[in-house]
Structure formats: structure tokens, C-alpha cells
Amino acid sequence: MIRAVMVALLVGLVSAFGLWNSWQAALKTQVQFSEAYAEVKAGDTALKLCRNWLNTRQLSGSSCRWLSLYLKFHPELSKLHQGVYKVQPRQSVLSVLQLFASGKVAQFSVVLKEGETLKQSLQRLAQSPYLHYDLADEADLTALLSWPEQWGAAPTLPEAMVFAETYHYTAQSKASDLLKRAHQLLLQKLEQAWQQRAADVPYQNPYQLLIMASIVEKESGHEPEKPLVSSVFVNRLKLKMKLQTDPTVIYGLGDSFNGDITRADLKNPHPYNTYQHFGLPPGPIALPSYSSMLAAAKPEASDWLYFVAKGDGTHQFSRTLAEHNAAVQKYIFGKN
């Protein structure tokens, strides 16, 4: 009798051990993902996903039955959170469901780069994965902009009205919401730079500082030189000289610019041509970095009026036209 009971217990233990192994094996079954991200849609449940994987022959019917039993003991895994998740090429059923139940959705990012135009920034946003691009044109962006009343009339164009930075978002976020964040950051940075401006800078309002910062950004990528570049343009403004900066000419030409600035381009009377018009152009020409804003706000004290690129990322600065012409001959035409 005792022997029979022992045999029965042993058989029961073996059976239980086998069921346990089958249960664990089902939960450890690998699900394959062909892409780096997987989406949990509204109405998706753990068992619905299991049936989907069953239909694609990644799981067996027994796996879903074992999962159904497991969920009775772990109901928290039945509450999946809608969203897009970062997944591995192969993950166990259990780890996938734990991820989907955690709500830790994937984070995406887009970089709005200093020196690029608004058109280029919007193209970047339109190409960003899982970002809902809800802008028909630049006019839609203009409607999103705010402008402090104490700064005077609001800009009529949205160029450079967002700050160059890396922005993070989750799937199906709206581009308009991201741009609102970028615009608010721009206002904060511009306010900081405006508060630090030198007493003698010839700007009537922060918008003019932003315009100068955009010119500095396009003229120099060498951080230590930016205050010097700014000083050249500030000195010219004070002396009622034309700024004569190529990037403003190129910006005004728009899509018609073919990569080589010509004499005809310099004579083009468009409003951004600083070879033809005195003072600042009517608006910014690119997204400036904060360092360019500070350079515009606090130009280095100098008597420089000219500069020319040396070909190594830096510039040769000159006080007189004769010195400048000599520098052009040396660095542009290679003549000593």
C-alpha cells in the first residue's frame, strides 16, 4: 500500500514537473520582430497579440493556452499600454508582454540644427519617424508663434522662430507641439541674451539681435571668433556702412541660388541683399545657436571692419580696405 502511494506521488511529481517545464517553455518561446519597433494599438490585449503570433506561426496553440493560465496569476500583464515600443529582434513572450505592460514607450529624437533655414527644419520634421506632421505650410507655424508685447511688433515671418536643439518625443506626437516647445525655448534663450547685451549695441529690440545672431551663425562656425565677427558687423552698423555679407544675399535668392555667388547676385535688389541695402536685413536667415546670440549681444571690442575666410575655418580680420584686399589676395587667390 505504501509502495503504491509512493509510486503515485512520484508519478504526480513527474507530471507536475513536466507541466511546469511546459509552462516555462511556452513563456520563454521567442517572438521575432522584423523591425526595431512594435506598436500596441487601442484594444490590443495579451491574448490578442498571442493569437496574432499564432497566426504568423511564431507560437503554438499550447503557448497561448499556457499564457492564458499565466495571466490568471499575473493579471497586471493583461493591461497593455498603447504606444510604440523598442524591441529586440528576438524576445520571449513574457518579456514582450512585460514591456508592453510597463508603458515605457520608445523615445524618439529630432535635431533642429543651427545654421539651417526653417524650410530645412520643417523638412527634417516631416521625415522624422513616428512624428505626426500636422503642418500644411509655414503659415501654420506662424499661427503657433507668440511674441512678448514689450519686444514690439511680432515678426511676420516664422524664420528662426525656433531654437536649434535636440528634441525628444514619443510616437504620434504632433510636429506642431514640438515646434511650440522649440519656439518657447527660443524666446527663453533670446531673452537671456538680450538681458546680457552690451550697452552700446545698435539694436532696437531682441528681434534685431536675433537677426544679427543668424548672420554670425552663417559667417562663422569657430566659436572663439564669433564675438569678433559680430564686432565687424556692429562696427559697420555704427558707421552707417553696408554689412555686405554673402549669406544674406544667398538667403534672399532662395532656391534660385546654384551654389556660386555671382556679380549679378550681389546686384540683385532683393530685401536681404546687404550689398544693396543699409542696415540689418528684414529678418533672420538661419537658426542661430545660443553662442551666436551671445556674440551678437556682446561683440568683442574692436576696430575691425572686414574679414575674409582663411580656408581653415578661421578668418583674417582687417581694419582698412587696403588690408582687406591684401588678405583677399592671399587667402582667396593665393597671392602674397
Side-chain angles (χ1 to χ4, degrees):
M1 182 65 179
I2 295 176
R3 182 176 181 182
V5 171
M6 293 295 293
V7 170
L9 287 174
L10 182 59
V11 170
L13 288 173
V14 170
S15 298
F17 185 71
L19 291 173
W20 173 260
N21 283 339
S22 297
W23 189 0
Q24 291 300 305
L27 296 176
K28 292 179 181 179
T29 301
Q30 299 282 304
V31 179
Q32 297 184 33
F33 294 98
S34 58
E35 298 181 359
Y37 299 94
E39 183 176 5
V40 176
K41 299 178 180 180
D44 279 347
T45 64
L47 291 179
K48 181 179 179 180
L49 293 180
C50 193
R51 287 192 293 270
N52 291 341
W53 295 327
L54 177 61
N55 292 336
T56 57
R57 298 183 178 180
Q58 297 199 61
L59 299 180
S60 65
S62 61
S63 295
C64 290
R65 288 192 294 272
W66 283 119
L67 177 61
S68 178
L69 178 60
Y70 184 84
L71 292 175
K72 293 183 183 299
F73 295 96
H74 297 277
E76 71 278 2
L77 293 185
S78 297
K79 302 175 182 178
L80 305 185
H81 293 271
Q82 183 178 348
V84 173
Y85 295 82
K86 174 72 173 176
V87 293
Q88 301 300 317
R90 295 178 64 89
Q91 280 188 249
S92 70
V93 173
L94 183 56
S95 68
V96 171
L97 293 180
Q98 288 172 336
L99 174 63
F100 293 169
S102 71
K104 296 179 180 178
V105 295
Q107 294 288 321
F108 301 90
S109 64
V110 59
V111 180
L112 302 185
K113 295 184 177 181
E114 57 267 15
E116 69 182 10
T117 63
L118 179 62
K119 181 179 180 180
Q120 292 169 325
S121 296
L122 293 181
Q123 289 175 343
R124 190 184 303 279
L125 290 176
Q127 296 168 0
S128 297
Y130 294 101
L131 182 65
H132 175 49
Y133 191 78
D134 57 341
L135 301 174
D137 50 37
E138 292 185 9
D140 285 351
L141 175 57
T142 303
L144 302 176
L145 304 181
S146 60
W147 193 251
E149 292 183 4
Q150 64 271 25
W151 287 1
T156 57
L157 297 175
E159 186 67 70
M161 286 294 103
V162 294
F163 189 68
E165 184 60 275
T166 299
Y167 296 91
H168 299 278
Y169 64 93
T170 56
Q172 305 313 316
S173 294
K174 294 180 179 180
S176 59
D177 290 336
L178 188 150
L179 287 168
K180 287 178 184 177
R181 289 161 48 199
H183 176 59
Q184 289 303 312
L185 185 56
L186 181 280
L187 295 182
Q188 293 173 20
K189 295 293 186 180
L190 187 55
E191 169 69 14
Q192 292 172 14
W194 180 248
Q195 293 301 326
Q196 297 181 63
R197 70 190 185 280
D200 61 341
V201 290
Y203 314 133
Q204 297 179 3
N205 50 54
Y207 190 55
Q208 291 188 344
L209 189 153
L210 182 64
I211 294 172
M212 178 62 81
S214 73
I215 295 173
V216 172
E217 187 67 47
K218 294 298 291 185
E219 284 285 11
S220 179
H222 186 52
E223 296 292 324
E225 273 193 355
K226 287 183 176 182
L228 280 176
V229 170
S230 177
S231 76
V232 169
F233 293 127
V234 166
N235 290 341
R236 282 177 163 262
L237 287 176
K238 290 179 178 179
L239 293 173
K240 308 298 182 183
M241 296 175 65
K242 294 175 181 175
L243 295 185
Q244 295 184 322
T245 169
D246 291 358
T248 62
V249 177
I250 294 170
Y251 177 84
L253 293 173
D255 294 336
S256 66
F257 180 64
N258 63 9
D260 294 312
I261 198 165
T262 65
R263 290 182 181 273
D265 293 334
L266 298 180
K267 294 179 179 179
N268 189 309
H270 66 71
Y272 285 83
N273 190 340
T274 51
Y275 284 85
Q276 298 296 314
H277 307 290
F278 288 93
L280 291 165
I285 60 174
L287 274 63
S289 60
Y290 185 58
S291 63
S292 291
M293 290 184 189
L294 288 179
K298 299 187 293 184
E300 188 164 321
S302 81
D303 53 1
W304 304 125
L305 291 174
Y306 307 89
F307 62 85
V308 63
K310 296 166 66 174
D312 61 356
T314 65
H315 295 81
Q316 177 67 45
F317 294 85
S318 304
R319 295 177 178 83
T320 67
L321 181 58
E323 291 176 351
H324 176 63
N325 288 337
V328 170
Q329 290 294 317
K330 177 178 180 180
Y331 294 107
I332 303 300
F333 300 108
K335 299 177 181 179
N336 294 323

